[in-house]
Amino acid sequence: MTSRTLRVGVTQWHATTDIAANLATALRLIDRAAADGAQLVTLPENGLMLGTNAQMRAAALHEDSDEVRRLRRAAATHGVAVVLGGMKNRTAEATYNSALVIDADGELVGRYDKMHLFDATIGGQSFEASTVERPGAGPVLLDLDGIRIGLTICYDVRFPELSRALAAAGAEVLLVPAAFVRSTGAAHWHTLLRARAIENLAYVVAPATVHSPDPDFTDAFATYGHALVVSPWGDVLADLGEDPEAVRVVELDLEAVSRARSTLPVLAGRRGADEYNDDPRVLALAGRGASAEGAR
């Protein structure tokens, strides 16, 4: 029996407002990943342009932009699939944060629009993504040579119901391209990604942007880096640390997903959706304080 494997290139770089420089980095890393035998190359969220909300809104690209066409040519040249993990995508109806999916022939076969927008204030800095983009409408799966891959983007990782829905629909690999804030990344990044892998018994592949290595350079917002590949058992197979330009090709053994799901059949043990949607029953009980009061 032939083993099922997928060689995935996970990338990381320091992204700025310089779209041409960011694109050149993306193309270099695609070249390097392809030379190392990657079948799929994953690029981070905001890898083509990372700036303030106003800057990213103004610089939103179209799917038929020269930048996307050059990524498509690179995919076709090397015969690799590419997922641009998230770009500000200006469409006829709205701007979305879209993961664009390019096949090994260079065809743009579709996209996933980020469902959960990062509206938060961290360390006094406001991240109001909804002022830039509109949320997407639903989950998306890729099928690459019979391997199902679930698409998510960055903040989606904090909403486990999305990853679970993708896994329940057959995803063996979950992509989490990110531009994760540095402070929350240090606290939560590894834990969240390992949790999504463990609870779904799936590989997690998470390309990432990273803060500037120059302490005198001020990023619009500093990102954490540490692009990761995590096994279905929660082991970290690759961690790119804080390298400002890096790629690692990791061979994913899809039989490991089958073995993990056979050992812990959590997906098979899920109950019907209606049972989870029922309002919880509330059990009222007296605490020590109430009992003591009543004894007086």
Side-chain angles (χ1 to χ4, degrees):
M1 180 177 176
T2 303
S3 62
R4 298 171 63 242
T5 61
L6 178 66
R7 290 184 61 82
V8 176
V10 59
T11 63
Q12 174 172 296
W13 67 87
H14 173 231
T16 68
T17 57
D18 188 336
I19 295 176
N22 295 331
L23 176 63
T25 301
L27 295 173
R28 280 195 303 274
L29 294 180
I30 292 171
D31 289 348
R32 287 171 55 186
D36 199 22
Q39 298 163 268
L40 169 66
V41 183
T42 61
L43 311 179
E45 179 193 34
N46 294 338
L48 292 185
M49 201 291 183
L50 192 151
T52 65
N53 280 347
Q55 289 169 327
M56 290 192 288
R57 183 169 54 246
L61 298 170
H62 297 278
E63 291 179 13
D64 63 351
S65 66
D66 181 63
E67 291 81 5
V68 174
R69 286 196 295 270
R70 290 181 65 185
L71 290 173
R72 292 175 59 188
R73 284 199 296 271
T77 297
H78 294 295
V80 297
V82 173
V83 174
L84 172 58
M87 77 168 197
K88 302 301 184 276
N89 178 26
R90 184 177 288 123
T91 73
E93 66 272 11
T95 296
Y96 296 93
N97 187 336
S98 300
L100 302 186
V101 182
I102 303 167
D103 71 13
D105 293 325
E107 295 298 319
L108 181 59
V109 298
R111 72 183 204 239
Y112 161 70
D113 297 329
K114 187 176 184 179
M115 292 177 63
H116 303 98
L117 303 187
F118 189 44
D119 287 346
T121 300
I122 306 295
Q125 186 171 9
S126 179
F127 298 89
E128 301 302 328
S130 60
T131 67
V132 180
E133 63 218 38
R134 182 184 295 180
V140 175
L141 276 172
L142 311 184
D143 190 309
L144 179 59
D145 297 330
I147 298 167
R148 288 207 159 183
I149 301 167
L151 293 180
T152 74
I153 300 174
C154 199
Y155 193 47
D156 284 335
V157 76
R158 294 188 183 274
F159 299 85
E161 55 270 33
L162 174 57
S163 294
R164 178 48 58 88
L166 291 164
E172 299 170 280
V173 181
L174 300 169
L175 299 189
V176 192
F180 217 82
V181 177
R182 189 177 184 185
S183 58
T184 56
H188 301 150
W189 176 246
H190 286 75
T191 300
L192 286 168
L193 292 176
R194 293 185 67 209
R196 297 297 83 80
I198 291 167
E199 68 199 7
N200 294 298
L201 299 158
Y203 285 101
V204 168
V205 177
T209 62
V210 66
H211 61 89
S212 173
D214 181 356
D216 295 325
F217 183 92
T218 302
D219 290 297
F221 63 96
T223 54
Y224 184 56
H226 290 275
L228 292 185
V229 178
V230 184
S231 81
W233 209 245
D235 299 315
V236 175
L237 304 179
D239 183 338
L240 301 190
E242 297 184 351
D243 194 321
E245 182 176 325
V247 60
R248 183 87 56 85
V249 176
V250 179
E251 184 169 279
L252 309 184
D253 174 11
L254 279 306
E255 298 307 318
V257 176
S258 299
R259 290 192 298 270
R261 291 179 177 178
S262 176
T263 301
L264 284 174
V266 293
L267 295 179
R270 296 172 68 240
R271 304 293 296 273
D274 289 345
E275 296 179 68
Y276 293 113
N277 290 332
D278 285 345
D279 290 334
R281 292 180 294 118
V282 178
L283 305 179
L285 63 162
R288 177 175 294 176
S291 296
E293 182 69 26
R296 290 183 184 147

